[in-house]
Amino acid sequence: QKSTSLSAPRMFTTHLKEKIEASQKILEGLQHAIQYKQLYLCYQPIVSADEHVPWAFEALLRWDFNGTFIGPDVFIPLAEKSGLIKEIGAWVLNRACMDAKHWQHCADATVSVNVSVIQLMDDGFIRQLDNCLQSSALPPHRLHIEVTESTFAENESKVLFQLEQIRQRHVKISIDDFGTGYSSLSQLQTLPVNYVKIDKTFVDNINDKGEAIIRATQFIAQELNCKTIAEGVESLDQAKMLASMGVDYLQGYYFAKPMKNDDLIIWQNPISNS
Ligand code: C2E
Ligand code: CA
Ligand code: CA
Ligand code: CA
């Protein structure tokens, strides 16, 4: 209510003002980040649940703002609000395809790229995707697109149309952060998705209520011919439990943290099951 904010304590308004100023500073910096080559991608392995063999690598964006590291949790939402995400997202997609094309150590591995709903809904997105596939010469089946569950709260028919276009190109689609939004389970039947990513919050709680949610997700996903990926796996115990529940793929610090592309090329999986 307006009256409350007008009479809000001074400390609160100062704090808010500082927050807004900080956001503006980040946004200004971000505008030059591409040009100044401050953005780079790290890749985190996703392994098979049974033998812990690398199958895919998720591209995660990093920003070194003149020596200060700012996390994507901070700058991606700002980039989305400002529309800058379109330019940044285009750079990410292109870089990821280029890098993956040259992964000679695991030449069949897939690269999984996070795509914001704003980027997905942009009319130029499909053309951009085609250009990336063409210029990188990456086979389309080696590219996955991750869209968060909240994406489907937007203009649903447009989202479906875009996902259908992606699928026609044989690029696979994952639903990210599954179970954290609402409406999830029933929506799965209408969406052209291939993978469901079980959110870290459920893996964290696997010894408590998380287990029931993971089992329910696993059941529905199987019925609908989707494979499952559990994220945020931090221990062998969790990995074992998830595998025993039938989860197909695992990702998390237990296996590896996100790595720079150069480190990825020399990375040897230390904890393969075989
Ligand atoms: P996300 O897509 O859910 O990515 C997973 C996040 O969990 C990553 O954080 C990853 O580093 C972290 N993570 C992975 N395994 C573990 C684990 O075992 N334990 C813990 N504690 N964390 C783990 P990160 O890299 O900070 O990214 C945060 C979010 O920023 C991502 O969440 C994604 O939503 C967004 N993001 C990152 N890169 C991009 C991008 O290129 N485009 C878009 N649109 N969003 C991005
Ligand atoms: Ca993701
Ligand atoms: Ca996720
Ligand atoms: Ca998550």
Side-chain angles (χ1 to χ4, degrees), residues 84-203:
L84 212 56
I85 191 70
K86 289 183 198 169
E87 197 187 335
I88 292 174
W91 180 86
V92 167
L93 190 63
N94 196 51
R95 187 71 261 156
C97 291
M98 293 290 192
D99 286 346
K101 173 69 185 167
H102 296 103
W103 288 341
Q104 270 138 3
H105 58 307
C106 31
D108 305 323
T110 298
V111 65
S112 202
V113 178
N114 292 286
V115 170
S116 152
V117 61
I118 295 160
Q119 210 186 333
L120 181 71
M121 298 288 261
D122 189 69
D123 288 325
F125 181 73
I126 299 298
R127 195 168 1 101
Q128 211 181 84
L129 181 68
D130 286 336
N131 287 341
C132 278
L133 289 170
Q134 204 180 21
S135 61
S136 68
L138 183 75
H141 70 267
R142 291 190 53 209
L143 175 64
H144 290 186
I145 298 290
E146 295 191 11
V147 289
T148 57
E149 195 193 346
S150 57
T151 301
F152 306 105
E154 303 286 313
N155 181 346
E156 205 183 312
S157 56
K158 176 81 189 269
V159 170
L160 283 179
F161 180 80
Q162 295 292 77
L163 295 182
E164 204 48 61
Q165 297 285 307
I166 294 171
R167 188 157 78 165
Q168 280 172 17
R169 283 153 177 82
H170 307 288
V171 171
K172 300 269 193 314
I173 299 160
S174 304
I175 301 195
D176 207 352
D177 301 340
F178 191 77
T180 59
Y182 28 139
S183 70
S184 30
L185 285 182
S186 64
Q187 259 186 340
L188 266 186
Q189 64 181 334
T190 52
L191 299 173
V193 299
N194 310 95
Y195 301 96
V196 169
K197 293 193 86 169
I198 298 165
D199 196 67
K200 178 177 182 299
T201 47
F202 306 119
V203 176

Side-chain angles (χ1 to χ4, degrees), residues 54-78:
W55 161 75
F57 295 88
E58 179 177 3
L60 293 159
L61 190 56
R62 298 289 176 259
W63 179 22
D64 181 350
F65 187 19
N66 308 320
T68 310
F69 173 82
I70 300 174
D73 280 337
V74 174
F75 70 81
I76 295 279
L78 292 172

